[in-house]
Amino acid sequence: MNKTELLNKFSKDPEERVVLARALDQLDRAVNRSIPCATQFLSPALRAALEPLIAAIGHPSHLFHGGFEGAERTICVFLPDWQEPDDWGAADELAAIECAYPPTGAELTHRDLLGGLMGIGLTREKVGDILVGEKSAQIVCLKDAAPIILSQFDQAGRYRLKLKEIGLAELTPAPVEVKLIHDTVSTLRLDAVLASGFSLARGKAADAVTGGRVSVNHRECLKPDRAVAQGDVLTCRGLGKCVLKTVGGQSRKGRIIIEIERYL
């Protein structure tokens, strides 16, 4: 199957196809030049689109990395035959920058910081996760974007920033907070599980699905009756993310026992 046939099989979205095509180009470079080659940053949805394509071409050696464990936005690195994943160094492709706020009164959001970065001409694909703290923020970026940020990104919102490059090991993502939900559902349909995970009426959950607000494993789903399975990640725009952790047996009333992990 050639490149065009692969893209036709795995994606119909024009913008997504461009990203997937560039990823295949990086894979070709890794194979032909026998060097590690990386994509730019991928959103969870783009990563979810790329993974089945990689599997379809024989699962060549690769890894996803975002600068720290659990990063939402990641690059995909294709490795040559001679290199093991443990031998690849994230610092070859990624950098981290700390932005200190003014000592008093500064309140900056993720949107403020991202907007400032876009304002100096960076595209979203150059920037990974932005970790926002009370007194400073940490930005993960492609290594070639770091000099631009350090020299030009001196303000976000109304506030001046002091920047310095730090090691990836110095990144301090906030601990993930989750709520464990034990419930029963009549069926493993998407609308039923979504309603349980986000404390919605089932009709409201179905409306969210048909309204294009819901993704399953980071891929948009418009079918409320889609079957979901253990391990599936459900996201709803405006409400957040939950994971169907376990699917158990039946309750005395014949309902399916489930356990959901909701991210707070």
Side-chain angles (χ1 to χ4, degrees):
M1 193 178 297
N2 62 33
K3 181 177 177 180
T4 300
E5 291 170 336
L6 277 170
L7 294 173
N8 288 339
K9 179 177 181 180
F10 286 96
S11 181
K12 304 299 181 186
D13 181 84
E15 293 184 6
E16 185 177 270
R17 284 170 63 93
V18 169
V19 175
L20 296 183
R22 289 174 179 168
L24 290 176
D25 290 342
Q26 292 299 85
L27 172 58
D28 286 342
R29 288 183 67 233
V31 172
N32 294 329
R33 299 187 186 182
S34 195
I35 58 173
C37 295
T39 67
Q40 299 189 81
F41 279 103
L42 306 170
S43 66
L46 288 171
R47 174 174 172 172
L50 179 58
E51 287 178 325
L53 190 154
I54 292 174
I57 54 180
H59 216 275
S61 182
H62 70 286
L63 58 89
F64 290 94
H65 204 291
F68 61 93
E69 187 175 353
E72 182 175 79
R73 297 178 65 83
T74 58
I75 61 171
C76 180
V77 185
F78 296 103
L79 301 173
D81 291 340
W82 56 265
Q83 188 171 29
E84 295 295 327
D86 289 344
D87 297 330
W88 177 80
D92 292 339
E93 298 288 345
L94 303 176
I97 295 171
E98 187 167 81
C99 311
Y101 310 156
T104 59
E107 293 183 5
L108 288 173
T109 65
H110 185 281
R111 183 174 180 177
D112 293 328
L113 293 157
L114 182 59
L117 291 166
M118 301 301 101
I120 62 172
L122 292 177
T123 59
R124 190 64 181 97
E125 295 77 18
K126 295 281 188 180
V127 181
D129 284 9
I130 301 174
L131 309 175
V132 181
E134 292 184 5
K135 298 181 180 180
S136 66
Q138 296 173 330
I139 300 167
V140 185
C141 63
L142 297 183
K143 193 168 184 177
D144 62 7
I148 300 172
I149 296 173
L150 289 167
S151 63
Q152 299 183 35
F153 184 50
D154 59 0
Q155 184 168 341
R158 299 182 292 109
Y159 303 107
R160 306 291 291 185
L161 304 172
K162 292 184 178 180
L163 276 62
K164 67 176 181 179
E165 187 166 359
I166 60 174
L168 295 174
E170 297 178 70
L171 291 167
T172 54
V176 176
E177 295 185 43
V178 297
K179 174 184 178 182
L180 205 56
I181 299 169
H182 299 275
D183 202 359
T184 62
V185 290
S186 59
T187 173
L188 289 177
R189 283 175 43 132
L190 174 57
D191 55 357
V193 177
L194 191 75
S196 177
F198 293 108
S199 301
L200 299 172
R202 187 163 167 182
K204 293 281 189 181
D207 290 343
V209 176
T210 56
R213 294 170 51 202
V214 175
S215 296
V216 179
N217 298 325
H218 307 293
R219 305 292 285 169
E220 183 182 89
C221 180
L222 300 174
K223 298 180 178 180
D225 62 349
R226 169 176 170 166
V228 294
Q230 184 170 303
D232 281 350
V233 179
L234 313 181
T235 53
C236 183
R237 192 164 62 249
L239 294 177
K241 177 176 77 172
C242 65
V243 179
L244 181 56
K245 293 295 291 184
T246 60
V247 177
Q250 290 190 340
S251 69
R252 292 179 180 179
K253 295 184 178 181
R255 293 170 62 85
I256 303 167
I257 300 170
I258 60 172
E259 184 180 69
I260 295 175
E261 196 172 68
R262 179 175 177 180
Y263 288 70
L264 303 176

